[in-house]
Amino acid sequence: MSVVETKVPAGFVPVYTRPKSLSDKRFTYCPGCHHGIITRLVAEAIDELGIQERTVGVAPVGCAVFLYEFFRCDFAQAAHGRACAVATGIKRANPDLIVFTYQGDGDLAAIGTAETIHAANRGENITVIFVNNQIYGMTGGEMAPTTLPGMRTVTTPEGRDVRTTGYPLRISEMLAQLDGPTYITRQAVFDVRHVQMARKAILKAFRNQLEGKGFSLVEVVAACPTNLRIPPAEGNRWVKEQALKYFPLGDLKVRD
Amino acid sequence: MPKGMVVIDKDRCKGCGLCVETCPFGVLVISPEFNRYGYNVATMGAPEKCTGCGMCAQMCPDAALDVYRAVKEGV
Amino acid sequence: MKVLLRGNEAMAEAAIRAGCRCYFCYPITPQGELVEYMARHLPRHGGVFLQAESEVAAINMVYGAAAAGVRTMTSSSSPGISLKMEGISYLAGARLPAVIVNVMRAGPGLGNIAPAQGDYFQATKGGGHGDYRLIVLAPSTVQEAAELVMLAFDLSDRYRVPAMILADGMLGQMMEPVELPEPIPPGRIPPKPWALTGAKDRAPNVVSSFDLDPYRFREILRALWAVYREIERNEVRWEEYATEDAELVLVAYGTMGRICRTVVRRARKEGLRVGLFRPISLWPFPYAPLRRLAERVPVLLTVELSAGQMWEDVRLAVEGRAKTPFYGELGGVVPTPEEILSEVKKHVRG
């Protein structure tokens, strides 16, 4: 379906090409949405490890609901928040498969908190990609458990008031307390350097599963320019200058 | 001859401009041209400046960019 | 060879013999023995036993294991089944085979742990959201419980429709001698080319209940309902007992069906021409056989451990061809044969 404008002239070699484990389908994310970068990084990890033929993804409810259309992999569509339970069922039924979930903050950190914590605590040998953009994007920009104090959303029109709606939930810190998980890290993709670090983290999270090391979760602090009502480039600055104040980057737990 | 080249899949591009923001050499611009989905797409405004570093592709949220580098003469 | 087993244990053993290799649960009374039996025995057969953090998680693990192509089961009792309803709707929508055992107790709410039949509507009319049905089988003895669990796995795989065993606390706890069905032979489980096994040498498989396009989704549901219509044609099951010359037929299922069989014997001793019609498949409900019965039997007395749920299906079947009185008990109270017999005598003369 895609038409490539320019022919590559002789004398050039590829530096970067679209990951092979992605399908031809256009992403359905909004312009400038960090989901697209993170989805692509997952595909790059699958390519690099050569596991496309044995990978099963679990798609969430939310902006990544169409994830199964973007990959050339088997996929299960899970109910809202239940991805880690579905992934547990798949992985336990067939441990030879490489199973990953890809979930937003509403899915993973609100309605699916219990499924996430208990899968982590059991040390399920799965890989979880957690996109924390501090908002419910798909439903129209409502407050998420990760919404920053004072941040305006359609359900906190005067800004999130922590006295009545609580504080941003730091799921990765919570999970890092547990004995079960192997690898818990928080990354971001607001510039190339951080994209490269996030890429390494996602690769490690998949490699851990291949090596049977247990539960790995990569949280990626992301921007939703559409619901923040700012241009995409400002979304990058929003993450760097606002979101990271509450969600500092780095490894929270690494067990080798 | 430029050192690098970016091949832009115009149907995938949503004109978000993150590549333009990221490119250290000012190679890319958002063109007035629309794609079939109504987005103004990125294009190489200054192709001669491209080094083929690949930073634009790493930031692209639509996996719409492929980057190539010229093979050095005599290699 | 017969062995003495509780209903809960017999259902667990039958599941293992049916090739169930993934069982996910959350503790609740009165189905505890099923969980315990699976914990002890399933791992010895190379299966996965996993106690989940909630019924919600357990049914979604079933969804995952079923998607991976494995025979899988969960069990619970009424309040827990309510929690599983979200996942059951997704199983139905995604066309995943799985078996769900409901050992019913009295509700609504926390209710109590005594046997009841208040989940009939939930089991047979959908229960979760959306346009779907479950295959619902209701055993009345421990022997039949074991056999219907085996059947539930076969039907669920054949039609790619989740199946529910609707038992109750009395049947779950009761001990009876059972002739256990033979373990299924290799090759009995049909191939599952749709399962998530890795997209090697084929296009990717997707297990989903999601389609944003109403016209496309309509076609998916039309195909699903065509399967339901096929099930309605092929899989209606019921039992009739002493109905040939009956002036009154008791209509009852599960534990009530069993007690009503005793009522029929006592009534016959007193010279009362009473019979029993016992639906075994609650969905598909035996509408046609019951309608035929109503052509020649003047009174069909429905007896349930509820305020009258199956009774609605009885009246839909009979459509005024016979009188359809109702007798039920509430709150986990199980009526004695004598109490039912005195109810019978209000409608027939000796």
Side-chain angles (χ1 to χ4, degrees):
Chain A
M1 54 166 278
S2 291
V3 181
V4 175
E5 179 195 18
T6 327
K7 286 270 185 290
V8 182
F12 280 82
V13 290
V15 172
Y16 183 91
T17 53
R18 187 176 162 83
K20 300 282 177 288
S21 56
L22 286 180
S23 73
D24 289 336
K25 181 88 181 172
R26 292 170 72 239
F27 291 167
T28 46
Y29 308 125
C30 301
C33 173
H34 284 182
H35 261 298
I37 302 175
I38 300 158
T39 298
R40 199 195 70 227
L41 293 181
V42 171
E44 289 179 19
I46 291 170
D47 281 5
E48 183 158 339
L49 296 170
I51 53 173
Q52 177 250 328
E53 290 183 335
R54 55 188 285 219
T55 296
V56 175
V58 181
V61 169
C63 293
V65 70
F66 287 113
L67 204 68
Y68 58 86
E69 294 195 343
F70 304 154
F71 283 87
R72 294 183 205 275
C73 295
D74 281 4
F75 253 90
Q77 172 64 52
H80 197 28
R82 316 299 177 218
C84 281
V86 172
T88 297
I90 297 168
K91 185 74 182 183
R92 294 283 186 124
N94 186 352
D96 292 335
L97 297 173
I98 302 299
V99 184
F100 78 94
T101 76
Y102 181 109
Q103 306 170 256
D105 41 69
D107 193 87
L108 182 142
I111 194 167
T113 313
E115 285 78 4
T116 308
I117 288 176
H118 287 276
N121 196 46
R122 287 190 302 268
E124 291 294 340
N125 192 26
I126 60 174
T127 302
V128 175
I129 309 300
F130 168 35
V131 179
N132 170 7
N133 61 5
Q134 306 105 54
I135 205 147
Y136 283 78
M138 174 69 89
T139 44
E142 296 85 354
M143 182 189 74
T146 45
T147 292
L148 306 183
M151 182 172 152
R152 286 175 194 270
T153 70
V154 296
T155 50
T156 56
E158 304 303 321
R160 181 177 190 172
D161 183 348
V162 295
R163 292 171 305 175
T164 53
T165 62
Y167 292 84
L169 195 64
R170 295 188 183 101
I171 280 279
S172 289
E173 279 82 349
M174 287 167 64
L175 296 178
Q177 307 283 315
L178 304 174
D179 293 333
T182 296
Y183 178 48
I184 307 287
T185 187
R186 184 183 286 122
Q187 303 290 330
V189 291
F190 59 84
D191 64 19
V192 172
R193 189 170 70 87
H194 285 89
V195 168
Q196 287 169 350
M197 288 164 68
R199 186 183 190 281
K200 276 187 195 150
I202 290 170
L203 196 61
K204 182 180 172 71
F206 275 93
R207 188 171 281 136
N208 282 346
Q209 185 178 165
L210 272 169
E211 293 169 0
K213 286 183 177 169
F215 187 91
S216 299
L217 179 143
V218 181
E219 173 178 348
V220 186
V221 185
C224 173
T226 297
N227 283 301
L228 286 168
R229 289 157 172 76
I230 54 176
E234 282 181 40
N236 288 348
R237 283 188 278 281
W238 159 269
V239 170
K240 190 177 171 184
E241 290 161 17
Q242 303 296 325
L244 295 196
K245 281 195 262 180
Y246 292 88
F247 299 108
L249 303 182
D251 290 345
L252 290 145
K253 180 169 186 191
V254 183
R255 184 172 61 198
D256 276 314
Chain B
M1 187 170 148
K3 287 191 222 159
M5 134 169 289
V6 184
V7 177
I8 299 155
D9 185 333
K10 287 203 285 186
D11 281 351
R12 293 190 194 285
C13 179
K14 296 180 185 138
C16 73
L18 292 188
C19 57
V20 177
E21 178 93 353
T22 300
C23 177
F25 307 108
V27 172
L28 296 160
V29 293
I30 299 297
S31 86
E33 182 196 351
F34 292 103
N35 69 9
R36 70 167 89 172
Y37 301 99
Y39 292 114
N40 291 111
V41 296
T43 191
M44 291 183 80
E48 70 284 356
K49 294 182 185 169
C50 183
T51 64
C53 70
M55 285 172 72
C56 54
Q58 292 188 60
M59 278 309 285
C60 177
D62 287 287
L65 307 183
D66 287 350
V67 181
Y68 299 85
R69 192 174 287 164
V71 181
K72 280 181 193 145
E73 304 233 349
V75 175
Chain C
M1 188 193 75
K2 288 198 171 186
V3 288
L4 191 65
L5 286 175
R6 286 183 197 278
N8 284 332
E9 295 166 331
M11 289 191 279
E13 178 60 32
I16 294 171
R17 289 173 180 232
C20 172
R21 287 298 172 269
C22 284
Y23 171 78
F24 305 99
C25 64
Y26 186 82
I28 187 169
T29 307
Q31 57 89 59
E33 298 82 5
L34 206 166
V35 174
E36 291 169 28
Y37 193 95
M38 283 302 220
R40 281 198 308 276
H41 295 274
L42 188 54
R44 291 183 202 162
H45 295 267
V48 174
F49 170 89
L50 182 54
Q51 181 175 330
E53 63 271 23
S54 69
E55 285 92 347
V56 176
I59 193 72
N60 281 285
M61 291 171 185
V62 165
Y63 182 97
V70 170
R71 279 197 165 177
T72 178
M73 183 170 97
T74 186
S75 62
S76 190
S77 178
S78 308
I81 296 291
S82 292
L83 282 167
K84 289 186 196 291
M85 276 299 152
E86 174 199 66
I88 292 172
S89 169
Y90 278 72
L91 285 168
R95 298 291 312 275
L96 288 176
V99 174
I100 302 117
V101 175
N102 182 1
V103 182
M104 284 186 284
R105 56 189 255 185
L110 197 51
N112 61 41
I113 58 172
Q117 296 179 323
D119 303 350
Y120 179 91
F121 284 154
Q122 186 194 50
T124 62
K125 309 296 180 188
H129 64 283
D131 244 342
Y132 76 93
R133 289 289 184 270
L134 302 175
I135 295 167
V136 184
L137 305 173
S140 70
T141 64
V142 175
Q143 178 71 43
E144 194 179 27
E147 288 165 6
L148 290 184
V149 165
M150 303 273 289
L151 178 67
F153 276 103
D154 282 346
L155 295 182
S156 186
D157 270 347
R158 186 177 311 154
Y159 295 104
R160 292 183 62 189
V161 168
M164 179 177 277
I165 300 293
L166 199 63
D168 62 65
M170 185 167 283
L171 192 68
Q173 301 293 316
M174 171 188 296
M175 291 189 92
E176 278 186 321
V178 188
E179 183 79 48
L180 283 164
E182 286 298 309
I184 58 158
R188 166 93 157 264
I189 300 174
K192 300 179 178 180
W194 46 265
L196 308 182
T197 54
K200 185 170 163 58
D201 305 323
R202 62 160 170 76
N205 284 339
V206 176
V207 167
S208 171
S209 59
F210 177 60
D211 200 313
L212 269 188
D213 183 317
Y215 291 92
R216 237 174 17 222
F217 194 51
R218 179 178 68 178
E219 293 315 305
I220 291 169
L221 290 189
R222 279 178 171 170
L224 179 61
W225 277 89
V227 171
Y228 292 160
R229 294 282 109 91
E230 195 187 338
I231 296 171
E232 285 173 336
R233 283 193 298 276
N234 300 340
E235 308 300 344
V236 173
R237 286 171 168 80
W238 77 97
E239 181 198 27
E240 291 186 37
Y241 174 59
T243 57
E244 298 77 18
D245 61 341
E247 291 177 11
L248 178 147
V249 166
L250 295 160
V251 186
Y253 71 94
T255 283
M256 266 335 297
R258 176 194 190 102
I259 294 170
C260 284
R261 180 181 281 271
T262 306
V263 174
V264 170
R265 280 199 296 269
R266 296 212 184 149
R268 290 274 167 180
K269 273 186 191 160
E270 295 185 25
L272 301 174
R273 295 197 306 194
V274 175
L276 169 68
F277 183 95
R278 182 173 68 87
I280 296 169
S281 61
L282 300 181
W283 194 89
F285 189 79
Y287 290 108
L290 198 54
R291 186 172 300 129
R292 286 197 294 274
L293 201 61
E295 303 284 0
R296 58 183 169 87
V297 179
V299 185
L300 299 175
L301 173 61
T302 304
V303 186
E304 284 182 81
L305 299 175
S306 79
Q309 297 195 11
M310 181 182 71
W311 187 33
E312 292 193 0
D313 280 328
V314 172
R315 285 180 289 168
L316 276 173
V318 170
E319 285 182 320
R321 290 174 178 82
K323 286 185 185 166
T324 51
F326 175 76
Y327 178 65
E329 269 298 0
L330 300 173
V333 175
V334 180
T336 62
E338 291 73 23
E339 286 170 318
I340 300 168
L341 191 56
S342 62
E343 192 66 24
V344 165
K345 287 175 182 170
K346 291 179 188 171
H347 303 283
V348 286
R349 286 191 301 273

